[in-house]
Amino acid sequence: MPKMKTKSGAKKRFKFLGSGLIKRTKSHLQHILTKKTTKQKRNLRGTTIISSTDAKRVRSMMPTR
């Protein structure tokens, strides 16, 4: 049986931490930034941990880890 392929979209969006948690970048910071407040844009910077309800689905998209 061949190896399962990783979804290329998931590969670009998610990274695994050493503890096994999965981190992601926050959305809504790519375009239409003029109508967003500075506070809103500042809070969208950086990464966050995905919720436990989504973790199972993300792991199925990335079987190599």
Side-chain angles (χ1 to χ4, degrees):
M1 190 166 155
K3 290 182 181 179
M4 289 178 64
K5 288 189 176 180
T6 299
K7 298 277 187 195
S8 60
K11 179 174 34 177
K12 296 167 191 172
R13 287 174 172 84
F14 304 108
K15 295 282 186 253
F16 285 92
L17 299 177
S19 61
L21 296 174
I22 306 166
K23 71 177 182 176
R24 64 168 177 88
T25 57
K26 295 177 186 174
S27 60
H28 306 295
L29 197 60
Q30 292 298 315
H31 62 100
I32 314 177
L33 298 174
T34 53
K35 63 173 72 171
K36 293 177 181 134
T37 64
T38 307
K39 181 179 179 180
Q40 187 178 1
K41 290 184 278 192
R42 184 174 62 245
N43 288 331
L44 290 172
R45 278 187 221 143
T47 59
T48 186
I49 305 299
I50 67 166
S51 66
S52 57
T53 55
D54 293 327
K56 184 178 179 183
R57 187 167 28 141
V58 173
R59 286 182 199 285
S60 69
M61 290 190 277
M62 303 178 75
T64 57
R65 174 69 189 196

